Each structure stands twice: as structure tokens, then as C-alpha cells.
Amino acid sequence: MVSVQRILVCNYLLISLAVVLGLLTNGSWAEDKLVNLTRLKMFVDELPDMPKIKAFHLVNGVPKPKSLKIGMYKIKWKFHRDLPPTPVFAYGARWRTATVPGPTIEALHGIDTYVTWMNRLPSKHILPWDPTIPTARAATNKGVPTVVHVHGAIDEPASDGNANAWFTARFEARGPLWSNRKYHYRNQQHPGNLWYHDHAMGLTRVNLLAGLIGAYIIRHPQVEGPLGLPRDEFDRTLIVFDRSFRTDGSIYMNSTGNNPSIHPQWQPEYFGDAIIVNGKAWPRLTVRRRKYRFRIINASNARFFRFFFTNGLRFTHVGSDSAYLGEPVETNDILLGPSEITDVVVDFSKSKNDNAILANDAPYPYPSGDPVNDANSKVMKFFVVGHSAVDTSRIPKRLISYPVPDLSSVSRTRYIAMYEYTSDIDEPTHLYLNGKPYEAPVTEIAKAGTSEVWNVINLTEDNHPLHIHLGLFVVLEQRELVDVEKFKDCMNKTNDAVNCNISKYARGKKIDVPAYEKGWKNVFKMSPGSVTKILLRFAYLHTNASYEFDPTAEPGYVYHCHILDHEDNAMMRPLKVVR
């Protein structure tokens, strides 16, 4: 374990260097005049439908592979009718068409897509960042390091967006694991919802806050068409996140850390009170009295959402993360952690009112933080017009069935422990997986084509959404620990769940896994003081076939907490696949 004293000494030197180099807070960040959100009227901006980019060519009606160029630009974006334009970082095919979120990339199953991600960002960041945590940084200290990860994609390591494969504008500086300009997305996996975002070491939280997010959908018409779900204008992607703003319109991010003598800027979670959907604060959407499909992505740094409709409308779940469910599941609410995706159908013909507010009541930090306020408890408003509309869409009794978890095929069982470390004033200094920094040698080495059982032990007070690159998993069980402090004391000393007799402590009350989260996922919420048992599969889900690429190549993969402030400092570990 790393001692606080060593952290203090090392970071004092880093802070001194940072001040000399001018890397820390400048004057504009010191004068924080925040927008009074009670003065911003809700539901005045129309919900944008983000631009769409086809990730394939049609040649005589036959889809063919396509090469795209998508840039990252500094632009100004209007988050609300009555807010000044906000400086942001945005994805787009060109500077003039860049948006927040970025364009939705629409791929076809089995048709390759090639993307050259072009960094066109300025030499300095628009948000404060902390040089005392492991951070991508050019030798000249000029340029904003970025690298793109398509979350949920099953692709070769060189196209996965490794945190150390970053690059600055025009590739002038490159990270130690950077290898190629053009990424290859094979789109050989099952159809479903993904999203793309920045993944640069130590800068993920600030690069996403700045706006580097977008949706990526893999479609399979032959498989999805017969389902009869709502389509075209009745199929909408909703990317939801939170932000705070200064009176000049700029994004507010606290520039002072909760342990300023250790980390001058880093804080354990970012929360904004304005809820943004598709780039607009509390937008509105006019809908007909019929079924709509909503692919909802939680792109927040740390905020959990528990969505519900104020007029009692229900959700019918058809997918979770990047995979369809086997059968629809109906609920009154949805708990969605950072980076989780839910795919739902809402039937507005059942609305008893002419409007319906999509609301949120999840505490922050989740689960034991502050209650929501008037600003962050509202998400968006639907205006329901007309009488029942003609609706040829349906919700089938069966969706898409994938293999059920097979424990007899498990090749290995692992224990993954989550730790949080605090300073003398009991404030978080950093978080680790398995008590190890990211730079420590890889300990999770999986064999392609096999299944493993991971027992994820959360020894912290936060709920951590764990994301595993490449692999897909099913949650088998979540159970509370008993005598947590005694077990934690042993784990802090030995970091060995077996020697600490995990079976003695993992016998508390079972925590229900909602039916809509019992399918195959790539993110799941690890409850505090619990053990979550998952079956993790390293093969294509729909065919159980081996990958059509070499998963053993460098730089490998990673797994991490998807609270971005935790991932950056430094709740992420390497994951290697072998034959």
C-alpha cells in the first residue's frame, strides 16, 4: 500500500513544478460566479436529434466498408436558450458541424468501419486538470492529449483506445502505447448500443466534461427487423449528463481539490445541477400517442440516475448496455449508473395527461449522498399531442436470446477488490483495484474463448460501476458482506480474499439484481460493502466463436470503475488476453 506521507512528498514536488509551468488554476477559474439555475426556465429548448454518420457505403444497394475522418474541435455550444454560448470540445466530421454530444455513428453488423480520429484541439485545456495524478502529458506541455474508446466494442487492442495511446493535435505528441492513426472497427458483434468517448490517461474526466462523447449503434436489420420495435423518427437516442455553468456560460469545474496539499485539483466526484439531454438543459420533445423507443446513455462523470415518469408511465426494457434482453421487462423506474445504457420502449398512448416529465430521484454520490434538488430532479418533458396515433410497431414477447451462463465452462475464478484510501483529514486521496496502481504488472490474464468467474469485492462506501473492455458478463449474484470492518482490516493488510476467508464474510443478505439487468452487460453497479459474482465471457456472444482479430496483441485491454474521477485516480487495471 502507498503511504500518505510518500504521496505528500511526491505531490509537493509535482505541485511546485506545475506552478512553475503554469499548469494549474488560472485567474478565470478562481472567480467562480455560478448561474442561478432557478432563473433558467426548464423545457424551453427542443430536444436535438444528433447528426448521424453512416459507417458504411452502399454500392448498388450492397453495404461496403467505409473510412471516416472525425475530428475533435473547440467550438461554442448553446446548452440553454438563456445561457451564453459555452466553450466546449466537440466531435464532428468538420469544425462547422461538430456537436455536443458528437454525431451518432451508425454501423452495420459484419461491415468494417475505419475511423481516423483527428485531434484539432488547442494547446491548452478549457478546464482545470491535476498533474499530481497519473496523467497523459506531452513533453512540451502543449496540446490536449486525447484517445477514443468505443465503449462496448469488441475489437483489436490497437483500436480499443488504450489510455496510453493518446495523441495531441496533428499527432505532434504521442503516448507510449500509440501505434496507428486509423482505427478498425469490425462490427462483428451482436447488434446493440455503444458510445464513444475520450479515454486519455488522467484526463478522461475533464475531456468528457468538455464534451467528447457520442453514440455508436450497431444495427443488424435481418435480426432486428422482425422484432417490430419502433423505428425511424420513433427511435431516439438520449445521451444524459450533468453540468454546472458560470454566468459567462463556461462549464464550471471546481479547481480546488478536497486534499489540496496532495491533489491541488482532483476531487472524488463531479456533480453538476443542470441535467443535459442531447446537449440541451432540460429539453422538451413533442410526441404522438404511440410507442417510442429510447436508447438512454448515462454519460455523466459520477451521477447515477433513477429515472421515472411523474405521470406514472412505465418503461418496457428491450436491451441493457450493448445487448438485447431475451424478453421484455416492464418497470416503473430505471437505475442507471455512469456509462450504463438502457434500451426502452415507452407507450405514450397510455398517458393520462398531455405532458409527462422524465424525472430523477437518485442521491449523489449514490447511494448515500445528498437528495436531489429542483434542478437535478428534472430531466426532460414530453408533450403528448393528439388522439391515439396509427402505430404499426410492437413489443414482441421474445426478443433475442443469447447463451445462458454456463458455470461448467468456467476456466478460472478471481477476486477483484475495490479500495479507497484517505488522508489524515479523512478525505479520499486515490482509489485502487486489487490494491495496485495501473502501472503495476498485469495480474488478470484471460484466455480467449473461455469464461471466468469474477467476485468483485467493494470495500468502499460508494457504488462503483465496473466496466470491462472486450468481455461481456452476466451478474450471477450480489450479496452483502457481514463484519465488513473486520474483513476490510484483513484485506488492507494482505490484499488476499482467500486468505482473509472471504466465504466467512460473503454470507449477508442477497441484493436483488433487477430483471432488466440480468442479461449480458459490459458495466454493472458494484454496491458498497458487497460481493458481486459475475460470469465473464471472452468470445462473441451471438456465435460463441473466436474473435476475428488477435486479442493477444499490444497494448491489451483494461477494466476500471466508470466514475471518471475514480478511473483517473487510479481505479483502472490492465487486462491481457492470451490464446
Side-chain angles (χ1 to χ4, degrees):
M1 304 301 175
V2 180
S3 72
V4 172
Q5 288 77 15
R6 289 182 63 188
I7 293 173
L8 285 168
V9 172
C10 293
N11 287 316
Y12 176 80
L13 297 174
L14 285 169
I15 293 167
S16 300
L17 176 62
V19 170
V20 172
L21 294 174
L23 298 173
L24 297 183
T25 307
N26 64 25
S28 64
W29 289 326
E31 299 173 5
D32 292 324
K33 297 180 180 178
L34 302 188
V35 170
N36 183 348
L37 295 179
T38 63
R39 296 183 181 178
L40 288 182
K41 191 173 182 180
M42 294 182 176
F43 318 129
V44 295
D45 289 291
E46 293 294 328
L47 175 80
D49 195 6
M50 307 320 295
K52 295 178 175 60
I53 295 180
K54 297 290 185 185
F56 55 91
H57 285 296
L58 284 178
V59 179
N60 298 322
V62 179
K64 299 291 184 181
K66 185 177 184 180
S67 290
L68 304 173
K69 289 186 177 180
I70 299 177
M72 297 159 248
Y73 305 94
K74 181 183 177 183
I75 65 168
K76 289 193 172 181
W77 183 259
K78 284 278 285 184
F79 281 100
H80 187 275
R81 180 191 68 184
D82 299 324
L83 271 179
T86 301
V88 295
F89 292 164
Y91 289 115
R94 297 179 301 279
W95 173 79
R96 292 187 180 276
T97 60
T99 55
V100 176
T104 298
I105 300 173
E106 296 191 325
L108 277 183
H109 170 80
I111 306 299
D112 297 63
T113 300
Y114 298 87
V115 181
T116 301
W117 300 100
M118 303 177 298
N119 186 331
R120 297 291 186 261
L121 298 175
S123 60
K124 291 186 178 181
H125 214 289
I126 60 174
L127 294 172
W129 55 276
D130 196 323
T132 66
I133 64 176
T135 302
R137 188 161 71 213
T140 60
N141 288 309
K142 291 183 179 179
V144 177
T146 63
V147 63
V148 178
H149 168 57
V150 176
H151 177 113
I154 299 177
D155 283 305
E156 61 202 26
S159 298
D160 190 58
N162 186 280
N164 278 319
W166 54 267
F167 54 95
T168 60
R170 294 172 294 278
F171 300 98
E172 289 179 357
R174 298 183 290 270
L177 296 180
W178 182 90
S179 60
N180 56 291
R181 300 185 180 208
K182 185 179 290 188
Y183 279 25
H184 183 189
Y185 303 112
R186 296 172 185 266
N187 304 316
Q188 290 289 346
Q189 64 199 77
H190 53 282
N193 304 304
L194 299 79
W195 64 298
Y196 61 97
H197 61 77
D198 182 79
H199 209 259
M201 179 66 71
L203 295 173
T204 302
R205 71 197 188 288
V206 290
N207 286 350
L208 267 71
L209 273 178
L212 294 180
I213 55 177
Y216 189 113
I217 300 173
I218 298 178
R219 301 188 186 275
H220 196 327
Q222 293 84 359
V223 172
E224 297 178 279
L227 299 177
L229 294 167
R231 52 182 293 184
D232 301 325
E233 64 181 295
F234 308 109
D235 178 358
R236 301 291 295 267
T237 296
L238 306 179
I239 302 184
V240 188
F241 51 93
D242 56 337
R243 296 290 184 272
S244 287
F245 301 96
R246 296 183 184 84
T247 52
D248 65 0
S250 62
I251 295 170
Y252 169 71
M253 182 183 187
N254 196 324
S255 58
T256 303
N258 57 333
N259 284 301
S261 63
I262 300 173
H263 299 307
Q265 185 278 326
W266 180 81
Q267 292 202 344
E269 287 98 11
Y270 173 91
F271 296 108
D273 280 334
I275 305 302
I276 315 296
V277 188
N278 290 6
K280 295 295 180 181
W282 314 289
R284 56 184 285 163
L285 177 66
T286 300
V287 295
R288 303 180 198 175
R289 292 187 178 274
R290 54 155 293 153
K291 292 185 286 297
Y292 282 73
R293 180 179 184 176
F294 297 110
R295 306 164 189 256
I296 307 175
I297 303 170
N298 181 354
S300 299
N301 277 34
R303 183 180 291 278
F304 285 64
F305 289 100
R306 186 159 48 218
F307 296 116
F308 64 96
F309 280 105
T310 55
N311 69 343
L313 276 173
R314 290 168 65 81
F315 305 94
T316 301
H317 299 257
V318 297
S320 179
D321 289 341
S322 61
Y324 277 91
L325 298 174
E327 59 186 32
V329 177
E330 194 169 286
T331 66
N332 290 317
D333 53 53
I334 308 168
L335 180 62
L336 209 62
S339 84
E340 282 192 301
I341 302 175
T342 191
D343 195 338
V344 297
V345 173
V346 177
D347 190 349
F348 289 101
S349 71
K350 296 181 178 179
S351 176
K352 297 178 181 178
N353 315 90
D354 292 334
N355 59 73
I357 293 175
L358 182 64
N360 161 55
D361 67 359
Y364 60 102
Y366 188 84
S368 55
D370 295 330
V372 293
N373 57 38
D374 186 61
N376 56 47
S377 65
K378 309 292 192 305
V379 179
M380 63 179 292
K381 189 172 187 177
F382 295 88
F383 290 88
V384 188
V385 298
H387 302 290
S388 293
V390 175
D391 185 0
T392 58
S393 69
R394 65 190 183 96
I395 302 173
K397 292 182 179 179
R398 297 294 303 170
L399 293 162
I400 300 177
S401 295
Y402 295 116
V404 296
D406 181 10
L407 286 172
S408 67
S409 66
V410 169
S411 62
R412 178 156 188 171
T413 297
R414 300 182 191 272
Y415 295 91
I416 309 294
M418 296 176 159
Y419 295 93
E420 180 178 85
Y421 305 88
T422 57
S423 65
D424 292 340
I425 59 172
D426 201 31
E427 288 287 339
T429 58
H430 61 293
L431 301 97
Y432 280 165
L433 292 167
N434 291 334
K436 295 178 174 62
Y438 177 74
E439 298 78 13
V442 61
T443 50
E444 281 64 60
I445 302 173
K447 189 174 181 180
T450 65
S451 297
E452 297 189 352
V453 166
W454 285 21
N455 294 281
V456 184
I457 307 164
N458 186 352
L459 299 174
T460 80
E461 296 179 358
D462 290 328
N463 189 310
H464 299 283
L466 183 70
H467 174 46
I468 303 173
H469 290 213
L470 183 69
L472 288 157
F473 59 85
V474 169
V475 181
L476 302 175
E477 179 183 270
Q478 192 166 70
R479 190 178 288 273
E480 292 179 353
L481 292 164
V482 298
D483 297 329
V484 177
E485 292 306 317
K486 187 175 179 181
F487 179 64
K488 188 187 298 186
D489 183 60
C490 180
M491 289 292 287
N492 282 330
K493 292 174 181 175
T494 68
N495 191 34
D496 189 323
V498 175
N499 284 343
C500 286
N501 198 6
I502 177 66
S503 60
K504 175 183 175 182
Y505 300 95
R507 52 184 177 84
K509 185 178 72 174
K510 273 191 178 182
I511 302 171
D512 287 338
V513 178
Y516 65 87
E517 294 198 84
K518 288 185 177 179
W520 289 90
K521 293 178 61 64
N522 56 55
V523 184
F524 190 71
K525 299 172 286 292
M526 303 298 165
S527 294
S530 73
V531 180
T532 305
K533 184 178 182 179
I534 64 174
L535 184 140
L536 178 60
R537 185 73 180 144
F538 292 100
Y540 287 118
L541 181 58
H542 59 303
T543 62
N544 203 32
S546 300
Y547 300 124
E548 296 190 359
F549 54 90
D550 181 9
T552 71
E554 295 298 332
Y557 301 93
V558 297
Y559 67 99
H560 56 86
C561 173
H562 222 292
I563 292 177
L564 302 182
D565 315 272
H566 297 176
E567 175 187 347
D568 278 352
N569 186 28
M571 211 173 185
M572 179 166 66
R573 287 287 293 146
L575 169 66
K576 185 170 180 58
V577 178
V578 297
R579 293 289 187 186

